[in-house]
Amino acid sequence: QVHLVESGGGLVQAGGSLRLACAHSGGIFSVNTMAWYRQAPGKQRELVADVTEGGSTNYADSVKGRFTISRDNAKNTVYLQMNSLKPEDTAVYYCNTDTTTMLVYGMHDWGKGTLVTVSS
């Protein structure tokens, strides 16, 4: 059973910061790439950033230089540090493994996500 619990969202003014955390159940999540995704109202879910088991990272162009993804495998937790937030960052943020791993293992479940609202 998939177990992903996102936390840390909230309301923040533009230019502010938030740190999201994702507690997962280990197993597949511990040995594969983990990612943060977001879904804004009326839009499709999009990849924000991912981090491999070894710590290599990748970011969407829209968040490069502002967001930092990291993972603590000992704590089964993935983090997303978000700085210089913009109103267009407003969305529900989810974590999961990468989409390729999800396809290979037939994974479809998501956590409830955490809402980030950035006011102008």
Side-chain angles (χ1 to χ4, degrees):
Q1 183 178 355
V2 170
H3 183 74
L4 296 160
V5 180
E6 301 91 348
S7 62
L11 174 63
V12 64
Q13 288 188 332
S17 298
L18 284 173
R19 189 191 193 206
L20 307 184
C22 168
H24 60 78
S25 51
I28 289 174
F29 301 116
S30 293
V31 298
N32 285 286
T33 295
M34 287 297 291
W36 282 96
Y37 305 83
R38 66 185 180 188
Q39 187 167 19
K43 295 187 177 182
Q44 290 190 332
R45 187 175 291 156
E46 63 175 357
L47 176 69
V48 175
D50 58 42
V51 55
T52 67
E53 183 189 8
S56 297
T57 58
N58 175 61
Y59 297 92
D61 287 343
S62 58
V63 307
K64 279 182 182 176
R66 301 188 297 122
F67 289 11
T68 302
I69 188 172
S70 61
R71 65 191 295 167
D72 186 335
N73 290 333
K75 294 182 178 180
N76 286 353
T77 304
V78 182
Y79 303 97
L80 186 68
Q81 177 67 44
M82 306 187 297
N83 299 328
S84 302
L85 282 161
K86 304 176 181 180
E88 51 263 44
D89 294 319
T90 295
V92 179
Y93 284 71
Y94 303 87
C95 71
N96 213 320
T97 187
D98 62 284
T99 53
T100 299
T101 299
M102 293 178 73
L103 284 171
V104 168
Y105 289 96
M107 298 167 65
H108 305 285
D109 294 334
W110 294 80
K112 294 183 179 180
T114 186
L115 176 62
V116 172
T117 304
V118 184
S119 63
S120 57

